[in-house]
Amino acid sequence: MGNLTYFSGKDIESMDRFYRTNLINTLSGYKPVMLIGTISDDNIPNLAVFENIVHIGANPPLIGFIQRPLLKDFSHTYHNIVQTGVYTMNHVHKDFVENAHYTSAKFAADVSEFEACGLKMEMQEEFKAPFVAESKIKMGLRFVQEIPISLNDTKLIIGQVEHILVQKSALLDDGRLQLNAVDDVCVSGLDMYHQVKMIAEYPYAKADSVPDFLN
């Protein structure tokens, strides 16, 4: 296979645990990274960085994320979402990516990651969950469904978008978002953050208009 390194299923099973984790975590390529903001029934704000974000559908507007196996005395994001039914997703930008990364630390339930990691909290009227003030693209969601994944004890958490806040410079006339305009970042694995740039724009693909790639 030339310059390609090959791993069989048996190779993967026998790998050192951390090597395998690093390999598989980065194998899926670049992923969106967002800060999920929640608040407890005791009004303690929580903020945590998540990278397993997935678009579910546009009508109704649904976005999902993967909740890792629940940990005793932690997993505050999940418990707050179940208790209050609402949460926010906030894009991460180049100028506060380090702050965002450290929200992944296991803080005690009575500690606000907003304060611990130097980020400002803002609230929208009649919506209980906190937004990240520094984020230029953010949304408020209502929890609608969780789907358990038994193979690794994770959950797909699905929310419906009810509020959207976007910096005007990032919003194109046709409704698309120009993420470069706000220095959006993405992540590979759990801790390698990247900026990307748009390299091309193509029309809607139709079978009768595919270019002749053979010539």
Side-chain angles (χ1 to χ4, degrees), residues 106-162:
K106 293 182 174 64
F107 293 100
D110 60 352
V111 173
S112 168
E113 289 83 359
F114 284 93
E115 294 183 6
C117 297
L119 293 166
K120 296 179 182 178
M121 182 178 74
E122 70 177 16
M123 304 298 293
Q124 294 293 321
E125 189 174 352
E126 299 182 358
F127 194 74
K128 185 173 183 178
F131 293 83
V132 176
E134 292 85 349
S135 181
K136 298 167 184 175
I137 301 175
K138 44 200 167 189
M139 66 201 95
L141 302 97
R142 186 165 300 279
F143 171 60
V144 294
Q145 187 177 2
E146 68 173 71
I147 300 175
I149 303 172
S150 59
L151 287 174
N152 60 357
D153 199 27
T154 59
K155 304 173 187 288
L156 173 61
I157 307 299
I158 301 174
Q160 180 164 336
V161 179
E162 294 189 346

Side-chain angles (χ1 to χ4, degrees), residues 20-73:
R20 180 176 62 245
T21 298
N22 288 335
L23 176 61
I24 300 302
N25 278 346
T26 52
L27 193 61
S28 58
Y30 297 121
K31 297 170 287 187
V33 55
M34 295 196 195
L35 286 165
I36 295 183
T38 61
I39 195 165
S40 70
D41 280 341
D42 298 327
N43 289 320
I44 299 173
N46 179 266
L47 190 66
V49 65
F50 281 77
E51 77 285 342
N52 291 320
I53 312 292
V54 59
H55 164 82
I56 303 294
N59 186 25
L62 302 175
I63 295 179
F65 72 92
I66 297 295
Q67 169 65 54
R68 297 178 182 278
L70 300 180
L71 300 173
K72 184 180 180 181
D73 300 325

Side-chain angles (χ1 to χ4, degrees), residues 6-14:
Y6 171 72
F7 299 106
S8 68
K10 289 184 178 179
D11 293 331
I12 297 170
E13 289 178 6
S14 62

Side-chain angles (χ1 to χ4, degrees), residues 25-26 29-31 186-194:
N25 278 346
T26 52
Y30 297 121
K31 297 170 287 187
C186 58
V187 68
S188 59
L190 302 176
D191 52 15
M192 293 190 294
Y193 297 89
H194 309 264

